[in-house]
Amino acid sequence: MASARLVPAVRRAEFEFWTLRVDLTKHCAEVVCTDGNGEREANILYRQRVGYTDFPLAELKLYAVADSNLGKVVMLTSEY
């Protein structure tokens, strides 16, 4: 998420929906950031393939929400 801060579409987004999907057998992953507008309607703001990872979960989802005082706040989906 931090490396995508320089991407203009990500910087402008009021709401970001991040998904990390890991292939646990091949130890590679993909990170996707969308505007959170549903699964089919969402606009992809950023996508990155990760050649190697030892992250232990098959999937992780996070939200990043703009806050006028704090910048952007990152939270688990259960915290929104």
Side-chain angles (χ1 to χ4, degrees):
M1 291 177 77
S3 65
R5 297 278 51 102
L6 298 178
V7 176
V10 175
R11 287 182 73 97
R12 286 190 304 266
E14 292 288 317
F15 182 86
E16 302 164 29
F17 181 61
W18 289 85
T19 304
L20 170 67
R21 289 191 181 96
V22 178
D23 184 325
L24 296 172
T25 57
K26 295 181 181 177
H27 300 284
C28 59
E30 182 178 57
V31 178
V32 177
C33 175
T34 71
D35 61 6
N37 194 16
E39 287 289 324
R40 293 192 174 129
E41 304 277 329
N43 296 308
I44 295 175
L45 305 175
Y46 179 79
R47 174 178 273 147
Q48 179 181 351
R49 297 197 190 290
V50 179
Y52 176 80
T53 182
D54 59 356
F55 191 76
L57 303 177
E59 185 174 79
L60 176 67
K61 295 183 178 187
L62 298 170
Y63 294 141
V65 182
D67 180 282
S68 59
N69 295 321
L70 301 173
K72 289 197 176 170
V73 177
V74 178
M75 59 189 92
L76 298 169
T77 56
S78 61
E79 296 176 310
Y80 183 72

